[in-house]
């Protein structure tokens, strides 16, 4: 209940403050920012301050209930705030939906030189629908657990992208790609042959920009209610348990990954250099709070796209990782300057991490990117395109 109240409160405060921040940044709207502004380090604690203020508000209101005799008004106001916050986030998430484009190039001898770049644009040839050397999509069901409830077994679903010419004799890296608060396993469109994510993956592999890897889009709710229109958000915060106990063991046992699955139990950390986790909005929060801070023993690469409110502030992440024994191979972040929902939370969560933790070196294993845009798929497709080029480039294994 407290997380839901804070989530709504932070979003409403973000609407008022982020617009001012966007105006202040108009002079650099077209730039990709990859440096740390040390003078703004103090701002990294804003979400903690907001959370403390939210807690004080809750306590004050609870204390005043005896005086006013009106606890029902408090509950109704909270529900209304949450409803407005969810509606705004879902509207933004679904405002842009793009698919692969039909190629107009009929020349079969086209140059296959890799030309993808990490920047602000996806080159057109990387969104073309491929009919040759194309990957495949599978829809899977696996046994999960109601971690947000009584722990009973439940059936979960996910989509799996397999690279062109998938070969069970080879081993493949795996990227877990997460949705937002109003989505499910289909939000990234990986349930369709015309998926833009699929097109990007097919073409990055075709032109030789990446070593082909597996992409998995699960439902990020670790509870019995997995409907995308549910207002129950607690299950998002329990997803680390499902990743560790259910989803990753299923993938390692059913696909040709680097994880040496054993039904009697096995060490998931041995293949962490071959796993990445990324997500948009609420999935960006999960990437930071769960992937980076809770499950860094099973993931080595992290991509947060417009990380949502309740993402841990940079100072908290730095503290959690202080004694982390595992190297962070890369943390990539992207957010739109005009994002009223997530700019404050995303920048506070990641922008100044290199100044607060020696686990991150800007330009080596860390990137903060902000560009003109809002809380929508224009930013998130760009984020996926960029992160797909970054992941799995560590050459230690």
């Amino acid at each position: 209940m407290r997380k839901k109240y804070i989530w709504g409160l932070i979003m409403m405060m973000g609407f008022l403050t982020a617009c001012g921040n966007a105006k202040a940044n108009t002079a650099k709207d077209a730039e990709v920012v990859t440096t740390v502004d040390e003078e703004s380090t103090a701002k990294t604690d804003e979400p903690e301050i907001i959370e403390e203020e939210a807690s004080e508000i809750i306590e004050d209101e609870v204390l005043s209930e005896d005086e006013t005799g009106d606890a029902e008004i408090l509950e109704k106001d909270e529900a209304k705030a949450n409803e407005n916050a969810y509606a705004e986030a879902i509207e933004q998430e679904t405002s842009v939906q793009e698919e692969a484009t039909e190629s107009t190039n009929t020349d079969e001898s086209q140059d296959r030189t890799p030309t993808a770049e990490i920047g602000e644009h996806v080159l057109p040839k990387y969104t073309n629908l491929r009919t040759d050397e194309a990957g495949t999509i599978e829809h899977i069901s696996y046994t999960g657990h109601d971690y947000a409830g009584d722990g009973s077994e439940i059936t979960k679903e996910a989509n799996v992208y397999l690279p062109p010419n998938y070969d069970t004799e080879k081993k493949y890296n795996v990227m877990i790609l997460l949705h937002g608060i109003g989505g499910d396993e289909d939000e990234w469109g990986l349930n369709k042959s015309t998926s833009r994510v699929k097109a990007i993956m097919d073409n990055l592999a075709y032109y030789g920009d990446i070593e082909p890897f597996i992409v998995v889009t699960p439902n990020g709710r670790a509870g019995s209610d997995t409907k995308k229109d549910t207002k129950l958000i607690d299950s998002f915060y329990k997803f680390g348990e499902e990743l560790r106990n259910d989803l990753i063991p299923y993938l390692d046992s059913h696909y040709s990954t680097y994880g040496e699955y054993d039904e009697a139990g096995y060490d998931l950390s041995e293949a962490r250099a071959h796993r990445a986790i990324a997500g948009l909005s609420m999935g960006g929060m999960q990437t930071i709070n769960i992937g980076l801070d809770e499950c860094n023993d099973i993931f080595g690469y992290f991509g947060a796209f417009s990380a949502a409110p309740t993402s841990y502030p940079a100072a908290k992440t730095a503290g959690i990782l202080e004694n982390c024994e595992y190297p962070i191979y890369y943390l990539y972040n992207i957010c739109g300057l005009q994002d009223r929902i997530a700019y404050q939370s995303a920048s506070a969560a990641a922008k100044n991490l290199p100044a607060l933790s020696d686990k991150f070196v800007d330009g080596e294993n860390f990137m903060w990117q902000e560009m003109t845009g809002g809380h929508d798929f224009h930013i998130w497709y760009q984020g996926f395109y960029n992160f797909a080029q970054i992941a799995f480039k560590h050459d230690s294994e």
Side-chain angles (χ1 to χ4, degrees):
M1 181 69 74
R2 184 169 178 270
K3 284 177 181 174
K4 290 190 286 185
Y5 186 91
I6 294 170
W7 204 91
L9 178 62
I10 293 174
M11 287 187 65
M12 287 188 290
M13 294 180 72
F15 296 161
L16 297 176
T17 57
C19 292
N21 288 340
K23 290 179 181 178
N25 282 290
T26 52
K28 61 176 182 178
D29 277 357
E31 296 179 2
V32 176
V33 178
T34 60
T35 59
V36 173
D37 180 358
E38 295 183 355
E39 293 180 0
S40 67
T41 301
K43 294 182 180 179
T44 61
D45 292 329
E46 282 184 2
E48 285 190 336
I49 294 171
I50 292 172
E51 186 165 335
E52 290 173 4
E53 291 175 349
S55 180
E56 291 172 1
I57 289 171
I58 294 169
E59 292 174 2
D60 290 344
E61 288 179 332
V62 170
L63 289 173
S64 67
E65 285 175 13
D66 290 337
E67 298 175 8
T68 64
D70 210 350
E72 290 185 2
I73 293 178
L74 175 63
E75 186 174 346
K76 289 179 180 178
D77 287 348
E78 178 183 342
K80 185 175 181 180
N82 287 327
E83 185 73 25
N84 291 340
Y86 300 148
E88 175 72 12
I90 293 170
E91 180 182 0
Q92 292 293 320
E93 282 181 27
T94 57
S95 62
V96 177
Q97 294 290 337
E98 298 178 359
E99 297 187 352
T101 54
E102 293 287 345
S103 175
T104 58
N105 189 348
T106 58
D107 183 6
E108 296 298 328
S109 63
Q110 59 184 292
D111 184 8
R112 293 179 68 159
T113 302
T115 56
E117 295 181 350
I118 298 168
E120 295 190 8
H121 303 285
V122 181
L123 296 177
K125 73 179 186 180
Y126 290 97
T127 62
N128 284 339
L129 181 65
R130 299 214 65 82
T131 55
D132 61 326
E133 299 187 41
T136 56
I137 295 173
E138 296 184 353
H139 187 81
I140 63 170
S141 296
Y142 61 96
T143 300
H145 293 82
D146 183 10
Y147 293 107
D150 61 7
S152 59
E153 288 191 356
I154 58 175
T155 299
K156 292 296 297 293
E157 298 184 345
N159 298 308
V160 178
Y161 164 85
L162 299 176
N165 304 312
Y166 173 75
D167 184 354
T168 57
E169 297 301 313
K170 294 174 57 177
K171 292 183 180 296
Y172 293 86
N173 297 314
V174 178
M175 180 183 292
I176 306 295
L177 186 61
L178 303 170
H179 59 81
I181 191 171
D184 57 16
E185 66 273 9
D186 296 335
E187 185 172 48
W188 278 98
L190 207 56
N191 58 326
K192 299 178 291 186
S193 61
T194 55
S195 162
R196 178 159 288 222
V197 167
K198 179 181 181 299
I200 289 172
M201 288 298 298
D202 285 349
N203 285 294
L204 286 172
Y206 179 83
Y207 290 107
D209 296 275
I210 66 169
E211 186 69 23
F213 59 84
I214 296 169
V215 179
V216 182
T217 58
N219 189 310
R221 301 172 182 85
S224 58
D225 187 353
T226 59
K227 299 187 296 295
K228 65 181 181 179
D229 59 350
T230 182
K231 302 301 185 295
L232 302 176
I233 67 170
D234 288 346
S235 59
F236 280 102
Y237 302 92
K238 297 288 188 179
F239 193 60
E241 296 178 67
E242 181 174 313
L243 284 169
R244 185 181 299 276
N245 300 324
D246 306 320
L247 178 56
I248 291 177
Y250 177 91
L251 296 173
D252 288 342
S253 64
H254 286 73
Y255 294 98
S256 188
T257 71
Y258 284 89
E260 298 294 337
Y261 175 78
D262 186 329
E263 63 180 8
Y266 66 112
D267 186 356
L268 275 68
S269 68
E270 292 181 352
R272 67 181 298 275
H274 302 284
R275 296 192 197 98
I277 185 169
L280 67 89
S281 195
M282 185 65 92
M285 176 283 294
Q286 291 178 305
T287 296
I288 293 172
N289 292 22
I290 294 173
L292 181 62
D293 292 352
E294 178 186 331
C295 296
N296 51 61
D297 61 321
I298 57 178
F299 293 102
Y301 298 86
F302 311 88
F305 315 150
S306 311
T310 68
S311 298
Y312 290 156
K316 181 166 184 175
T317 290
I320 291 173
L321 297 180
E322 184 176 359
N323 298 315
C324 176
E325 63 179 290
Y326 302 100
I328 306 303
Y329 295 128
Y330 213 102
L331 170 60
Y332 167 81
N333 306 269
I334 189 171
C335 194
L337 283 162
Q338 290 75 36
D339 189 333
R340 299 183 301 164
I341 292 172
Y343 182 84
Q344 288 292 90
S345 54
S347 58
K351 191 172 184 178
N352 295 314
L353 271 173
L356 300 173
S357 172
D358 60 7
K359 299 289 184 181
F360 305 96
V361 178
D362 191 28
E364 292 186 13
N365 73 335
F366 176 89
M367 181 176 180
W368 165 264
Q369 179 181 7
E370 54 188 43
M371 56 183 283
T372 300
H375 197 72
D376 58 48
F377 271 97
H378 286 311
I379 295 293
W380 304 328
Y381 286 132
Q382 185 68 53
F384 176 77
Y385 175 75
N386 289 347
F387 187 56
Q389 298 172 63
I390 291 170
F392 312 120
K393 293 298 175 68
H394 188 267
D395 58 3
S396 66
E397 298 185 37

